[in-house]
mmCIF file of all heavy atoms in Angstrom:
data_model
loop_
_atom_site.group_PDB
_atom_site.id
_atom_site.type_symbol
_atom_site.label_atom_id
_atom_site.label_comp_id
_atom_site.label_asym_id
_atom_site.label_seq_id
_atom_site.Cartn_x
_atom_site.Cartn_y
_atom_site.Cartn_z
ATOM 1 N N LEU A 98 90.862 97.483 101.569
ATOM 2 C CA LEU A 98 91.338 96.762 102.738
ATOM 3 C C LEU A 98 90.378 96.985 103.894
ATOM 4 O O LEU A 98 90.026 98.119 104.213
ATOM 5 C CB LEU A 98 92.738 97.256 103.108
ATOM 6 C CG LEU A 98 93.405 96.588 104.291
ATOM 7 C CD1 LEU A 98 93.598 95.102 104.036
ATOM 8 C CD2 LEU A 98 94.750 97.254 104.550
ATOM 9 N N ASP A 99 89.947 95.905 104.506
ATOM 10 C CA ASP A 99 89.076 95.974 105.672
ATOM 11 C C ASP A 99 89.891 95.467 106.865
ATOM 12 O O ASP A 99 90.050 94.260 107.062
ATOM 13 C CB ASP A 99 87.830 95.113 105.459
ATOM 14 C CG ASP A 99 86.817 95.246 106.584
ATOM 15 O OD1 ASP A 99 87.058 96.038 107.519
ATOM 16 O OD2 ASP A 99 85.794 94.540 106.528
ATOM 17 N N ALA A 100 90.456 96.431 107.611
ATOM 18 C CA ALA A 100 91.285 96.113 108.775
ATOM 19 C C ALA A 100 91.067 97.203 109.815
ATOM 20 O O ALA A 100 90.798 98.355 109.458
ATOM 21 C CB ALA A 100 92.758 96.064 108.381
ATOM 22 N N PRO A 101 91.192 96.855 111.082
ATOM 23 C CA PRO A 101 91.075 97.899 112.117
ATOM 24 C C PRO A 101 92.095 98.997 111.866
ATOM 25 O O PRO A 101 93.228 98.730 111.452
ATOM 26 C CB PRO A 101 91.378 97.157 113.421
ATOM 27 C CG PRO A 101 91.122 95.715 113.109
ATOM 28 C CD PRO A 101 91.442 95.539 111.657
ATOM 29 N N VAL A 102 91.716 100.237 112.113
ATOM 30 C CA VAL A 102 92.565 101.382 111.794
ATOM 31 C C VAL A 102 93.938 101.275 112.465
ATOM 32 O O VAL A 102 94.950 101.634 111.864
ATOM 33 C CB VAL A 102 91.849 102.716 112.122
ATOM 34 C CG1 VAL A 102 91.744 102.948 113.621
ATOM 35 C CG2 VAL A 102 92.528 103.871 111.437
ATOM 36 N N GLU A 103 93.997 100.755 113.681
ATOM 37 C CA GLU A 103 95.275 100.665 114.379
ATOM 38 C C GLU A 103 96.189 99.575 113.792
ATOM 39 O O GLU A 103 97.377 99.554 114.077
ATOM 40 C CB GLU A 103 95.067 100.435 115.888
ATOM 41 C CG GLU A 103 94.490 99.092 116.248
ATOM 42 C CD GLU A 103 92.958 99.025 116.173
ATOM 43 O OE1 GLU A 103 92.306 100.030 115.818
ATOM 44 O OE2 GLU A 103 92.423 97.937 116.460
ATOM 45 N N ARG A 104 95.650 98.708 112.969
ATOM 46 C CA ARG A 104 96.453 97.646 112.339
ATOM 47 C C ARG A 104 96.713 97.895 110.860
ATOM 48 O O ARG A 104 97.483 97.168 110.229
ATOM 49 C CB ARG A 104 95.740 96.301 112.511
ATOM 50 C CG ARG A 104 95.732 95.842 113.967
ATOM 51 C CD ARG A 104 95.017 94.521 114.176
ATOM 52 N NE ARG A 104 95.415 93.512 113.227
ATOM 53 C CZ ARG A 104 94.597 92.540 112.798
ATOM 54 N NH1 ARG A 104 93.365 92.455 113.238
ATOM 55 N NH2 ARG A 104 95.021 91.642 111.935
ATOM 56 N N ARG A 105 96.087 98.919 110.291
ATOM 57 C CA ARG A 105 96.146 99.120 108.836
ATOM 58 C C ARG A 105 97.575 99.236 108.309
ATOM 59 O O ARG A 105 97.931 98.572 107.341
ATOM 60 C CB ARG A 105 95.323 100.345 108.421
ATOM 61 C CG ARG A 105 95.164 100.463 106.912
ATOM 62 C CD ARG A 105 94.375 101.693 106.521
ATOM 63 N NE ARG A 105 94.903 102.915 107.088
ATOM 64 C CZ ARG A 105 96.010 103.533 106.650
ATOM 65 N NH1 ARG A 105 96.685 103.035 105.652
ATOM 66 N NH2 ARG A 105 96.429 104.646 107.217
ATOM 67 N N LEU A 106 98.430 100.073 108.916
ATOM 68 C CA LEU A 106 99.810 100.226 108.425
ATOM 69 C C LEU A 106 100.562 98.909 108.464
ATOM 70 O O LEU A 106 101.299 98.564 107.531
ATOM 71 C CB LEU A 106 100.573 101.271 109.245
ATOM 72 C CG LEU A 106 100.384 102.728 108.887
ATOM 73 C CD1 LEU A 106 101.212 103.612 109.821
ATOM 74 C CD2 LEU A 106 100.749 103.008 107.451
ATOM 75 N N ALA A 107 100.405 98.150 109.550
ATOM 76 C CA ALA A 107 101.085 96.856 109.683
ATOM 77 C C ALA A 107 100.595 95.879 108.613
ATOM 78 O O ALA A 107 101.390 95.192 107.975
ATOM 79 C CB ALA A 107 100.859 96.285 111.080
ATOM 80 N N VAL A 108 99.296 95.844 108.410
ATOM 81 C CA VAL A 108 98.716 94.947 107.410
ATOM 82 C C VAL A 108 99.177 95.351 106.008
ATOM 83 O O VAL A 108 99.546 94.494 105.196
ATOM 84 C CB VAL A 108 97.172 94.935 107.512
ATOM 85 C CG1 VAL A 108 96.546 94.241 106.312
ATOM 86 C CG2 VAL A 108 96.741 94.279 108.816
ATOM 87 N N GLU A 109 99.190 96.652 105.730
ATOM 88 C CA GLU A 109 99.659 97.107 104.416
ATOM 89 C C GLU A 109 101.109 96.709 104.175
ATOM 90 O O GLU A 109 101.485 96.383 103.049
ATOM 91 C CB GLU A 109 99.486 98.622 104.289
ATOM 92 C CG GLU A 109 98.050 99.040 104.083
ATOM 93 C CD GLU A 109 97.862 100.549 104.032
ATOM 94 O OE1 GLU A 109 98.821 101.303 104.339
ATOM 95 O OE2 GLU A 109 96.747 100.978 103.689
ATOM 96 N N ALA A 110 101.931 96.718 105.209
ATOM 97 C CA ALA A 110 103.337 96.310 105.067
ATOM 98 C C ALA A 110 103.418 94.835 104.685
ATOM 99 O O ALA A 110 104.174 94.453 103.778
ATOM 100 C CB ALA A 110 104.105 96.575 106.355
ATOM 101 N N VAL A 111 102.632 94.003 105.346
ATOM 102 C CA VAL A 111 102.632 92.567 105.029
ATOM 103 C C VAL A 111 102.107 92.340 103.614
ATOM 104 O O VAL A 111 102.660 91.538 102.853
ATOM 105 C CB VAL A 111 101.815 91.761 106.060
ATOM 106 C CG1 VAL A 111 101.696 90.298 105.647
ATOM 107 C CG2 VAL A 111 102.458 91.875 107.448
ATOM 108 N N LEU A 112 101.062 93.051 103.228
ATOM 109 C CA LEU A 112 100.506 92.896 101.877
ATOM 110 C C LEU A 112 101.489 93.389 100.811
ATOM 111 O O LEU A 112 101.585 92.796 99.733
ATOM 112 C CB LEU A 112 99.167 93.626 101.768
ATOM 113 C CG LEU A 112 98.030 93.051 102.617
ATOM 114 C CD1 LEU A 112 96.779 93.915 102.493
ATOM 115 C CD2 LEU A 112 97.741 91.607 102.256
ATOM 116 N N ALA A 113 102.219 94.469 101.113
ATOM 117 C CA ALA A 113 103.226 94.953 100.160
ATOM 118 C C ALA A 113 104.344 93.917 100.007
ATOM 119 O O ALA A 113 104.802 93.664 98.895
ATOM 120 C CB ALA A 113 103.807 96.288 100.632
ATOM 121 N N TRP A 114 104.761 93.312 101.117
ATOM 122 C CA TRP A 114 105.771 92.241 101.056
ATOM 123 C C TRP A 114 105.258 91.088 100.187
ATOM 124 O O TRP A 114 105.973 90.594 99.326
ATOM 125 C CB TRP A 114 106.091 91.733 102.472
ATOM 126 C CG TRP A 114 106.820 90.432 102.459
ATOM 127 C CD1 TRP A 114 108.159 90.238 102.267
ATOM 128 C CD2 TRP A 114 106.241 89.139 102.590
ATOM 129 N NE1 TRP A 114 108.448 88.892 102.279
ATOM 130 C CE2 TRP A 114 107.278 88.203 102.481
ATOM 131 C CE3 TRP A 114 104.939 88.679 102.795
ATOM 132 C CZ2 TRP A 114 107.065 86.830 102.564
ATOM 133 C CZ3 TRP A 114 104.722 87.313 102.882
ATOM 134 C CH2 TRP A 114 105.769 86.419 102.772
ATOM 135 N N SER A 115 104.015 90.676 100.411
ATOM 136 C CA SER A 115 103.435 89.573 99.649
ATOM 137 C C SER A 115 103.363 89.888 98.153
ATOM 138 O O SER A 115 103.696 89.051 97.313
ATOM 139 C CB SER A 115 102.033 89.249 100.182
ATOM 140 O OG SER A 115 101.440 88.232 99.416
ATOM 141 N N ALA A 116 102.938 91.107 97.834
ATOM 142 C CA ALA A 116 102.847 91.508 96.424
ATOM 143 C C ALA A 116 104.231 91.500 95.777
ATOM 144 O O ALA A 116 104.394 91.054 94.637
ATOM 145 C CB ALA A 116 102.206 92.887 96.305
ATOM 146 N N LEU A 117 105.248 91.965 96.507
ATOM 147 C CA LEU A 117 106.617 91.939 95.973
ATOM 148 C C LEU A 117 107.113 90.516 95.784
ATOM 149 O O LEU A 117 107.779 90.210 94.798
ATOM 150 C CB LEU A 117 107.576 92.697 96.894
ATOM 151 C CG LEU A 117 107.636 94.188 96.683
ATOM 152 C CD1 LEU A 117 108.367 94.869 97.832
ATOM 153 C CD2 LEU A 117 108.318 94.516 95.363
ATOM 154 N N GLN A 118 106.790 89.642 96.725
ATOM 155 C CA GLN A 118 107.209 88.239 96.613
ATOM 156 C C GLN A 118 106.617 87.603 95.365
ATOM 157 O O GLN A 118 107.263 86.800 94.717
ATOM 158 C CB GLN A 118 106.781 87.446 97.850
ATOM 159 C CG GLN A 118 107.556 87.781 99.095
ATOM 160 C CD GLN A 118 109.037 87.497 98.938
ATOM 161 O OE1 GLN A 118 109.828 88.417 98.729
ATOM 162 N NE2 GLN A 118 109.415 86.266 98.997
ATOM 163 N N GLU A 119 105.382 87.962 95.069
ATOM 164 C CA GLU A 119 104.709 87.375 93.912
ATOM 165 C C GLU A 119 105.172 88.012 92.598
ATOM 166 O O GLU A 119 105.479 87.312 91.639
ATOM 167 C CB GLU A 119 103.196 87.527 94.059
ATOM 168 C CG GLU A 119 102.425 86.824 92.947
ATOM 169 C CD GLU A 119 100.925 86.923 93.136
ATOM 170 O OE1 GLU A 119 100.451 87.041 94.274
ATOM 171 O OE2 GLU A 119 100.222 86.880 92.107
ATOM 172 N N ALA A 120 105.230 89.334 92.564
ATOM 173 C CA ALA A 120 105.540 90.035 91.314
ATOM 174 C C ALA A 120 107.037 90.132 91.033
ATOM 175 O O ALA A 120 107.447 90.129 89.876
ATOM 176 C CB ALA A 120 104.928 91.435 91.340
ATOM 177 N N LYS A 121 107.844 90.235 92.080
ATOM 178 C CA LYS A 121 109.289 90.423 91.918
ATOM 179 C C LYS A 121 110.036 89.542 92.922
ATOM 180 O O LYS A 121 110.715 90.042 93.822
ATOM 181 C CB LYS A 121 109.659 91.887 92.142
ATOM 182 C CG LYS A 121 108.972 92.842 91.180
ATOM 183 C CD LYS A 121 109.285 94.274 91.526
ATOM 184 C CE LYS A 121 108.551 95.209 90.568
ATOM 185 N NZ LYS A 121 108.895 96.596 90.808
#
Side-chain angles (χ1 to χ4, degrees):
L98 181 61
D99 185 2
V102 72
E103 68 275 1
R104 291 179 47 211
R105 189 181 53 75
L106 277 179
V108 168
E109 286 177 350
V111 174
L112 294 176
W114 165 81
S115 177
L117 276 167
Q118 289 299 102
E119 185 177 332
K121 300 175 182 184

